[in-house]
Amino acid sequence: MGTTTLWALRTWAKLTVLLLLIVGGSWLYLGTASGWFWVITATAIVAEYYLVRQLAREWSWEARATWWWSA
């Protein structure tokens, strides 16, 4: 279970950093006055929400299958 938790946290951290780099790069390139910057930011927020939900779902499936009370 610990390995699944570490995997989920590592995956979340890597993808969150990637999304932050994309938003930060678009901010530097486009500026906040651009509509595309806000589209990119909104897309990153939705992607982060979806990512967290899917990782939590994967973790909970693994927890149900391998937790100590299932033995």
Side-chain angles (χ1 to χ4, degrees):
M1 191 62 216
T3 57
T4 303
T5 302
L6 289 175
W7 169 81
L9 290 173
R10 239 185 352 261
T11 303
W12 169 76
K14 285 191 288 188
L15 292 174
T16 298
V17 167
L18 176 64
L19 290 172
L20 285 172
L21 289 173
I22 291 170
V23 170
S26 67
W27 172 66
L28 289 173
Y29 185 71
L30 299 171
T32 58
S34 172
W36 281 110
F37 168 75
W38 295 109
V39 169
I40 291 168
T41 302
T43 303
I45 290 169
V46 170
E48 179 75 12
Y49 175 74
Y50 179 77
L51 168 73
V52 168
R53 284 186 46 96
Q54 293 305 315
L55 285 172
R57 190 168 141 198
E58 180 73 25
W59 185 88
S60 67
W61 285 349
E62 184 68 21
R64 282 187 207 109
T66 62
W67 207 252
W68 62 270
W69 57 73
S70 67

